[in-house]
Amino acid sequence: MRKMLLCLSIYLILPHYSRTAMADEAECIMREHKVERFISEIYDELDFGFSDKLPYDAFDLAYRGYVNLRNENKLNNGHEIITVCDFELSSRQKRLWVIDLKNRKILFNTLVAHGQGSGDEYAMSFSNKPNSHKSSLGLYVTGETFEGEHGLGLRLHGMDEGFNDAAFDRDIVIHGAEYVSDKFICREDKLGRSWGCPALPTDLTAAIVNTIKDSTCLFIYYPEHKYLNTAYWVNKKVTSLPR
């Protein structure tokens, strides 16, 4: 008798749990569609002007990471800035964008070097290890400025565990370099490479550094399978969107 009552109770309860699970799944799908639509609308509103157009996949992940970091109070929310390096592109292309989200415009679009250990014209391999001279993928929060051997620099704090969280200890920073220029490309038929730092043209370094310093978001993108599928901040569900 007790067994029969137990079975009957389970029979009656299961549809309730099934309906709840279906409702939760439907809500999750609707929320994701809202996020996708929101990001797509922002991208469509961006005024690229005479700049090259940032590929959507890179922007989509950068924005998701930006919002998740912002929601966790890891960014200076007074600066609605995202910097994106798309390392899927050739180093001969202007593959760094500084984006003013508030005004929907591109502030800078320029060359940026990858690490010499990551590849020649194209970055193909990435590492979080010291002395690898490779670039590190993922989301960073910019830190303070400093004067170093390359002049003005900007410290970076890697936020993706296992992918770039050793960046500060590796001295991965933003700095200027003479080998990041159209002149160097014309002479060598390729851009120069760093020891892992996202190095910039010397004539733009100060302007870019002073725009993105003090806790703004930087994203170094490449469609690496492991990163896309396991990195925390870009895979975390977006729970709330900026107004």
Side-chain angles (χ1 to χ4, degrees):
M1 185 67 178
R2 284 197 298 268
K3 186 181 289 186
M4 185 183 298
L5 289 173
L6 178 61
C7 290
L8 180 60
S9 298
I10 292 173
Y11 177 79
L12 292 172
I13 291 171
L14 275 176
H16 170 73
Y17 280 115
S18 178
R19 288 194 299 271
T20 301
M22 290 176 63
D24 289 345
E25 183 178 356
E27 183 180 351
C28 183
I29 292 171
M30 289 179 62
R31 183 167 60 244
E32 177 58 24
H33 284 169
K34 180 180 179 181
V35 170
E36 290 176 355
R37 186 169 62 251
F38 187 87
I39 296 173
S40 178
E41 288 173 357
I42 290 178
Y43 181 79
D44 290 341
E45 291 171 2
L46 290 177
D47 180 10
F48 285 93
F50 294 105
S51 302
D52 294 338
K53 195 165 187 178
L54 170 65
Y56 180 78
D57 287 350
F59 178 78
D60 176 66
L61 287 178
Y63 193 83
R64 288 172 185 273
Y66 161 80
V67 171
N68 284 326
L69 289 171
R70 175 181 168 131
N71 288 344
E72 295 292 331
N73 296 314
K74 296 185 180 296
L75 299 175
N76 182 342
N77 291 342
H79 300 306
E80 296 182 38
I81 299 288
I82 297 182
T83 304
V84 183
C85 302
D86 186 351
F87 279 172
E88 187 177 17
L89 301 176
S90 163
S91 60
R92 296 166 60 92
Q93 295 178 252
K94 293 181 178 180
R95 54 182 182 167
L96 178 141
W97 290 260
V98 179
I99 304 169
D100 177 350
L101 293 169
K102 182 177 181 180
N103 296 301
R104 304 288 199 265
K105 66 180 182 179
I106 307 304
L107 301 179
F108 301 95
N109 173 215
T110 188
L111 299 167
V112 59
H114 58 255
Q116 61 184 220
S118 287
D120 197 7
E121 178 182 347
Y122 288 88
M124 304 289 288
S125 177
F126 305 89
S127 176
N128 195 35
K129 295 180 179 179
N131 303 315
S132 66
H133 294 176
K134 293 184 179 183
S135 298
S136 299
L137 296 179
L139 288 149
Y140 297 78
V141 174
T142 61
E144 70 278 6
T145 61
F146 67 97
E147 287 292 331
E149 61 178 305
H150 298 286
L152 180 66
L154 178 63
R155 301 203 184 278
L156 300 173
H157 301 277
M159 305 305 291
D160 281 313
E161 184 176 354
F163 293 98
N164 66 11
D165 57 331
F168 188 87
D169 292 335
R170 289 178 62 203
D171 289 326
I172 301 301
V173 301
I174 290 179
H175 64 77
E178 295 294 338
Y179 55 75
V180 186
S181 65
D182 289 322
K183 184 177 180 181
F184 189 95
I185 293 173
C186 289
R187 186 173 73 245
E188 304 292 336
D189 201 33
K190 62 181 180 182
L191 195 70
R193 294 164 299 158
S194 68
W195 279 14
C197 299
L200 302 175
T202 55
D203 60 332
L204 290 175
T205 301
I208 292 176
V209 163
N210 286 316
T211 299
I212 70 173
K213 65 182 180 181
D214 298 332
S215 300
T216 70
C217 179
L218 164 70
F219 182 54
I220 295 181
Y221 170 78
Y222 184 85
E224 183 187 75
H225 180 79
K226 182 178 180 181
Y227 180 82
L228 295 180
N229 287 278
T230 66
Y232 176 73
W233 294 106
V234 296
N235 285 291
K236 185 178 186 296
K237 296 297 183 184
V238 175
T239 55
S240 63
L241 293 163
R243 296 185 179 184

